[in-house]
Amino acid sequence: MFGLSPLVAALVATIAALVASTWWFGVHRRRLAETQAGVQALAGMKWRECAGLVLQAMEEKGYKELPSSRQPGDGGAEFLLVKGDERCLLGYKHGTAYRLGEANVRDFANAVQLQGATSGMLVTLGSAEGFARDLARRYGVDLTDGRSLWPQVEPFAAPQMVVAIREQAAGEIRKGQRTGIIASIALGLVVFALGYAMQPSEPSSMVNTPASTPANTGPGAAAPADDTDEPAVETSGETTVAAEPEAPVSRFTDQASRDAEGALRELEEVAKLTEQQRLERRLAAATEVGELEAADSAGWSTQSTLVIRMNRPDGIDTGLVNEACAILVQYEELRSPRLQLEPPAGTAGQVRWRQCQ
C-alpha cells in the first residue's frame, strides 16, 4: 500500500489518528467544554453576583458605573457606564434560556437613546439569532452571548469555581480521548488488514522432480516403476529419489518490520482487554511501585496520575522516579503517566510532579 509494508502503513495511520484525536479533544474540545461548563456555572449564580462579574470585566476595559444608574430592563437589568466622554448602556439578561431576537435589539436600542448614551452593550448567558446580530450592528449595539462572555469574566470568578469547571471539563475530555485511542487502534488494524489483502500473492514453491530416465531398449531393460510402494528403480547403479518441498519464505525479513509487528501485537492485546482486566493491571502496577524501597505506598488518583507516598523526606530523586517508570512502561497502556510525589505524613515537604517519558 503506497509502497509501504502493511505493518508500517498501519503504524503510520494509527499515529496520525492519535495525533488528530489528541488535538481535537485536548485543545479544541477542551475549550468548548470549559466554556459550556463556565456558562452553566454562571447561570447557577444569583443574577446580582453574575452581573457584578460582568461589571468587573467592564471596569477592566476602562468603563465605570455611574452612581444610582441601575434599573430594571426588559427581563433583566441595565447599567449606565462611562469611559471618558463615552456613555454606554449595558443591558444584562440572566439565564441560558434567553435567545435574543430582533425585537430585543430594537427595544434596547430605544433604551440607549432614552438614556442619552452613545453606545450600548447587550449581554446574555443565552444566545443571539443571526438576524439580531445584523440588526445590532446597524444600531451600533454590541451583542455578547454566553460563549463570548465566559472568557471575559473567568479572571474575576472565584478560584474554587474555576478549578471545579476545569475538572468537570477534563472528565468529559478524558472520555473522548479514550474513544479516540480505541478508534485510532481500530483504524490501524483496518489499514493493516487492507494492506495485507492488497499485497500480490507470492509464487508457490516448485517441487523438484527428477528427469525421466531414458528407456533401455536393450534386452535387459527393467520395467518402469509404478506409483505403488515398490522400491525406487536403480539405473546405472544410481537411485532416483523425489525431492522434498521447500519451506515457505517468511513475509518480513528485516528486523525493523518484525519489531513493528511485535509492537502492533501488543497494541492489539491491550485493545482486547476488558475494563476489569485493565483495572487489575493498574492495581498490579501501583502495588509494584508501592513496594519500592523509597516508597511507602502508591495509588491512582486519576486515569493518568499515580500518587506515590515516600517514606523519607529526602526521597525525591531521580532514582525513585526511574524505578517507578521502569515498572510502568512494562504495561503498554501505562507508558506515560504523571507521578505525584508526596512527602511522608507529618512532614512539611512539598508535593512534586514528574512525568515518565
Side-chain angles (χ1 to χ4, degrees):
M1 179 178 289
F2 304 107
L4 301 176
S5 67
L7 189 56
V8 174
L11 288 176
V12 171
T14 302
I15 294 174
L18 285 174
V19 171
S21 64
T22 300
W23 176 87
W24 176 260
F25 291 105
V27 179
H28 179 71
R29 288 296 304 172
R30 181 180 294 275
R31 294 174 182 170
L32 292 180
E34 289 183 358
T35 300
Q36 293 174 357
V39 172
Q40 293 298 327
L42 293 177
M45 301 171 59
K46 297 180 179 180
W47 78 267
R48 293 183 183 274
E49 296 176 350
C50 191
L53 294 179
V54 175
L55 291 175
Q56 292 183 50
M58 293 299 103
E59 290 180 3
E60 184 71 14
K61 298 180 180 180
Y63 291 94
K64 293 184 179 181
E65 180 187 5
L66 288 178
S68 304
S69 67
R70 303 189 181 189
Q71 55 182 337
D74 182 18
E78 295 177 351
F79 311 88
L80 190 59
L81 310 178
V82 293
K83 181 181 179 182
D85 296 334
E86 178 186 359
R87 292 170 62 91
C88 177
L89 183 64
L90 171 66
Y92 174 73
K93 297 183 182 297
H94 192 64
T96 57
Y98 275 104
R99 184 174 179 83
L100 299 179
E102 297 182 22
N104 301 108
V105 175
R106 289 194 179 94
D107 293 341
F108 183 72
N110 293 333
V112 171
Q113 295 180 353
L114 292 176
Q115 293 288 338
T118 56
S119 62
M121 290 185 290
L122 189 55
V123 180
T124 180
L125 295 178
S127 59
E129 299 176 354
F131 293 115
R133 294 184 182 276
D134 296 337
L135 184 62
R137 281 191 288 268
R138 290 168 50 187
Y139 283 113
V141 175
D142 183 16
L143 291 185
T144 303
D145 58 8
R147 294 180 59 180
S148 303
L149 178 62
W150 170 248
Q152 300 181 40
V153 302
E154 180 183 4
F156 308 99
Q160 298 85 351
M161 184 177 73
V162 175
V163 171
I165 289 172
R166 292 178 178 174
E167 290 180 352
Q168 177 183 349
E172 298 177 2
I173 293 302
R174 281 193 292 269
K175 296 179 181 178
Q177 288 176 336
R178 286 194 293 268
T179 303
I181 291 174
I182 295 174
S184 300
I185 296 175
L187 176 63
L189 295 177
V190 171
V191 172
F192 179 80
L194 291 177
Y196 188 86
M198 294 172 60
Q199 277 192 327
S201 59
E202 296 182 354
S204 59
S205 302
M206 300 299 294
V207 178
N208 296 330
T209 58
S212 300
T213 305
N216 189 354
T217 57
D226 51 18
D227 294 336
T228 60
D229 295 337
E230 297 180 1
V233 178
E234 294 186 0
T235 305
S236 302
E238 297 180 358
T239 303
T240 303
V241 182
E244 297 181 357
E246 297 180 358
V249 181
S250 176
R251 182 171 297 275
F252 300 110
T253 57
D254 59 300
Q255 188 63 34
S257 296
R258 292 177 180 176
D259 295 341
E261 185 177 14
L264 184 60
R265 287 199 188 100
E266 293 182 6
L267 292 176
E268 293 175 357
E269 293 300 326
V270 172
K272 295 177 182 178
L273 295 177
T274 63
E275 290 295 332
Q276 181 63 29
Q277 290 173 332
R278 295 190 185 202
L279 178 60
E280 292 176 355
R281 288 166 62 90
R282 291 170 59 85
L283 293 177
T287 301
E288 291 186 52
V289 175
E291 293 176 354
L292 294 176
E293 181 180 357
D296 184 47
S297 62
W300 294 96
S301 61
T302 65
Q303 290 290 333
S304 59
T305 303
L306 179 63
V307 180
I308 302 177
R309 173 77 67 178
M310 298 177 296
N311 55 20
R312 56 178 183 268
D314 58 346
I316 302 177
D317 55 6
T318 57
L320 174 58
V321 174
N322 292 339
E323 292 176 359
C325 292
I327 294 174
L328 296 174
V329 296
Q330 299 176 14
Y331 301 85
E332 186 66 28
E333 68 276 22
L334 304 177
R335 282 185 169 273
S336 301
R338 184 172 58 173
L339 303 182
Q340 179 179 338
L341 304 178
E342 295 193 352
T347 62
Q350 295 182 349
V351 177
R352 303 294 180 89
W353 301 88
R354 297 292 184 268
Q355 183 78 36
C356 289
Q357 302 297 330

